[in-house]
């Protein structure tokens, strides 16, 4: 997480707590020449547009006063979504036993994408129960882990 994202998360935590939501993740990224500060919020039962709007209205003045970002940027508040990316140890702990999709930087056994049941997380290493059996991916191999959506 970038320094700006860490600062924004620290500022956002008390606001989120006061509104009964949790901060899932904060990103500060450049896309198509424009900087974006994205705050993903969550709560039991999920969040809707009204929760995102309430958080945005409460957090914007805090963000403006602290002014941790030089230059212009777009501020967005969103739900992490049903296929949310798992990034933090607490994300993995919460979703042990759930189906996940793992994307790798380089193919293993001919595949860069794996699916299975999340059975472990240890210091960045991810273990899943796949069709072929138990598979452990080291942190250096894993590009992304998301909850799997089955339709």
């Amino acid at each position: 997480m970038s320094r700006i994202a860490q600062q924004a998360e620290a500022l956002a935590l008390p606001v989120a707590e006061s509104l009964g939501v949790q901060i899932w993740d904060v990103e500060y990224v450049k896309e198509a020449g424009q900087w974006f500060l994205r705050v993903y919020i969550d709560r039991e039962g999920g969040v809707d547009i009204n929760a995102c709007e309430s958080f945005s209205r409460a957090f914007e003045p805090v963000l403006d006063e602290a002014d941790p970002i030089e230059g212009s940027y777009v501020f967005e508040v969103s739900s992490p979504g049903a296929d949310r990316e798992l990034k933090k140890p607490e994300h993995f702990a919460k979703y042990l036993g759930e189906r996940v999709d793992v994307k790798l930087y380089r193919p293993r056994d001919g595949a860069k994408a794996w699916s299975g049941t999340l059975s472990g997380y240890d210091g960045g290493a991810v273990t899943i129960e796949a069709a072929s059996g138990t598979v452990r991916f080291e942190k250096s191999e894993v590009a992304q882990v998301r909850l799997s959506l089955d339709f």
Side-chain angles (χ1 to χ4, degrees), residues 13-136:
L13 286 170
V15 175
E17 186 176 303
S18 74
L19 296 172
V21 298
Q22 296 90 38
I23 302 298
W24 179 264
D25 194 22
V26 178
E27 297 177 332
Y28 183 64
V29 295
K30 191 172 190 177
E31 295 176 358
Q34 176 70 50
W35 284 98
F36 290 84
L37 176 65
R38 292 192 181 109
V39 179
Y40 297 93
I41 60 172
D42 199 18
R43 70 172 165 218
E44 284 300 316
V47 295
D48 58 15
I49 190 73
N50 294 328
C52 292
E53 181 181 359
S54 294
F55 178 83
S56 179
R57 288 182 188 272
F59 184 52
E60 272 188 297
V62 173
L63 192 58
D64 287 344
E65 184 175 322
D67 198 22
I69 303 172
E70 289 184 25
S72 65
Y73 62 95
V74 176
F75 172 54
E76 296 178 346
V77 178
S78 178
S79 159
D83 65 340
R84 61 195 57 205
E85 186 173 358
L86 307 181
K87 293 183 176 182
K88 302 175 182 178
E90 57 267 26
H91 297 165
F92 289 91
K94 181 175 181 174
Y95 290 103
L96 278 174
E98 298 292 329
R99 294 219 17 105
V100 295
D101 297 322
V102 179
K103 290 185 182 175
L104 305 177
Y105 290 113
R106 288 179 296 287
R108 181 195 277 191
D109 298 332
K112 283 181 74 173
W114 292 71
S115 292
T117 302
L118 180 62
S119 60
Y121 180 79
D122 180 29
V126 176
T127 304
I128 63 170
E129 299 302 322
S132 60
T134 302
V135 184
R136 178 183 164 104

Side-chain angles (χ1 to χ4, degrees), residues 131-149:
S132 60
T134 302
V135 184
R136 178 183 164 104
F137 302 101
E138 296 303 321
K139 182 178 181 177
S140 61
E141 296 178 275
V142 178
Q144 184 181 71
V145 179
R146 288 189 171 277
L147 288 182
S148 183
L149 291 180

